[in-house]
Amino acid sequence: MFKLLNILFVEDDAIEVMMFVRVLQKIGSNHRLIEARNGEEALAVLNTKEVIPDIILLDLNMPKLNGIEFLKIVKSNELTKHIPVIIFTTSNNHRDIATCYKIGISGYIIKPLKYEDYLVLVQKTLEYWSSNELL
């Protein structure tokens, strides 16, 4: 049984956001998408406590507050440290991967270049997380 997710999508690239939204529409997803263009905006979303995301999809390379800085804040906060954070980035830097796992991510996904691969990857990721028991 799949449940609807509240997804906090933290991405500074408008084209990436449009593609993610397009994929959600294409796969017929009814998940709720909350967008943030950088770590500062994402923290503001979390601080309002209006909607607590079930998962966070996080880009690493962003202005103002980058993904790793945001991740450290989220994982050090008692109210947010339980939220699964999945890195969703183009960076395959092994130092970034190791750092993110050390901080406490739930997964690290490198964005595929081909749209069809991107669509399948997003669909499988959301199916996986919507079938898990989350807090």
Side-chain angles (χ1 to χ4, degrees):
M1 180 90 172
F2 294 113
K3 74 174 201 162
L4 294 181
L5 298 172
N6 291 317
I7 304 165
L8 177 55
F9 188 58
V10 189
E11 172 63 65
D12 65 315
D13 186 330
I15 293 171
E16 286 287 336
V17 173
M18 288 186 326
M19 186 162 61
F20 191 80
V21 169
R22 191 167 119 198
V23 164
L24 291 179
Q25 292 168 345
K26 179 104 173 161
I27 64 175
S29 167
N30 291 321
H31 299 299
R32 179 175 183 192
L33 186 63
I34 306 146
E35 298 174 26
R37 289 179 293 220
N38 57 57
E40 283 184 0
E41 283 188 18
L43 284 178
V45 167
L46 293 174
N47 288 332
T48 64
K49 299 179 184 120
E50 273 183 36
V51 176
I52 302 298
D54 296 304
I55 63 170
I56 299 171
L57 294 177
L58 176 64
D59 187 25
L60 288 183
N61 303 311
M62 296 178 294
K64 296 187 181 181
L65 188 66
N66 71 38
I68 291 175
E69 294 165 333
F70 170 79
L71 181 62
K72 287 178 182 177
I73 294 168
V74 168
K75 292 301 178 180
S76 66
N77 183 321
E78 284 298 315
L79 298 174
T80 58
K81 71 180 184 180
H82 71 281
I83 301 170
V85 178
I86 299 98
I87 303 301
F88 197 62
T89 188
T90 56
S91 172
N92 62 358
N93 180 307
H94 291 288
R95 189 175 306 134
D96 286 346
I97 296 168
T99 298
C100 289
Y101 274 110
K102 186 176 181 180
I103 297 168
I105 61 167
S106 298
Y108 195 103
I109 298 172
I110 298 171
K111 298 174 193 170
L113 297 175
K114 289 175 53 182
Y115 175 77
E116 295 79 18
D117 296 337
Y118 185 95
L119 184 142
V120 169
L121 186 67
V122 169
Q123 183 173 20
K124 287 183 179 186
T125 300
L126 297 181
E127 285 175 358
Y128 174 82
W129 285 104
S130 65
S131 65
N132 278 277
E133 291 301 319
L134 301 171
L135 294 176

